[in-house]
């Protein structure tokens, strides 16, 4: 059996690659001491620029952004932190 053709193995490999990219991005020294609002705004700006630069992915990125908003709202609802405060 060709391992590269195995969908489960392909998914596991993609997850590994994405996690490596996440760790590389979050490991950038400039992010460590920057205000949360600046970091989050910059990360969203990069996401949008990448989505627009690759029209084949723009619609999928919009769908993923909607999913992210839903997941963030669920996470926020599960906390005791006051809602609606500005990002600091």
């Amino acid at each position: 059996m060709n391992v590269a053709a195995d969908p489960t193995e392909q998914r596991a490999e993609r997850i590994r690659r994405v996690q490596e990219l996440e760790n590389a991005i979050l490991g950038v020294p400039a992010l460590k001491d920057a205000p949360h609002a600046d970091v989050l705004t910059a990360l969203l700006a990069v996401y949008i620029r990448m989505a627009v630069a690759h029209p084949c992915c723009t619609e999928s990125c919009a769908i993923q952004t909607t999913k992210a908003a839903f997941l963030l709202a669920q996470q926020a609802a599960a906390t005791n932190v006051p809602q609606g405060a500005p990002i600091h």
Side-chain angles (χ1 to χ4, degrees):
M1 177 171 89
N2 184 355
V3 175
D6 179 11
T8 303
E9 193 62 37
Q10 287 175 336
R11 178 162 169 71
E13 176 61 20
R14 182 172 186 278
I15 290 170
R16 185 192 62 73
R17 287 192 321 265
V18 169
Q19 288 173 336
E20 283 181 5
L21 283 170
E22 288 174 11
N23 291 334
I25 292 166
L26 293 174
V28 172
L31 297 181
K32 294 191 186 321
D33 295 323
H36 299 151
D38 293 351
V39 172
L40 292 169
T41 300
L43 290 171
L44 284 171
V46 168
Y47 183 87
I48 292 166
R49 286 174 62 181
M50 289 293 295
V52 172
H54 301 278
C56 56
C57 300
T58 304
E59 184 177 351
S60 293
C61 288
I63 292 167
Q64 286 299 101
T65 303
T66 302
K67 180 181 175 183
F70 176 75
L71 294 173
L72 288 170
Q74 282 185 318
Q75 183 66 33
T79 67
N80 291 326
V81 177
Q83 304 303 308
I87 300 171
H88 58 280

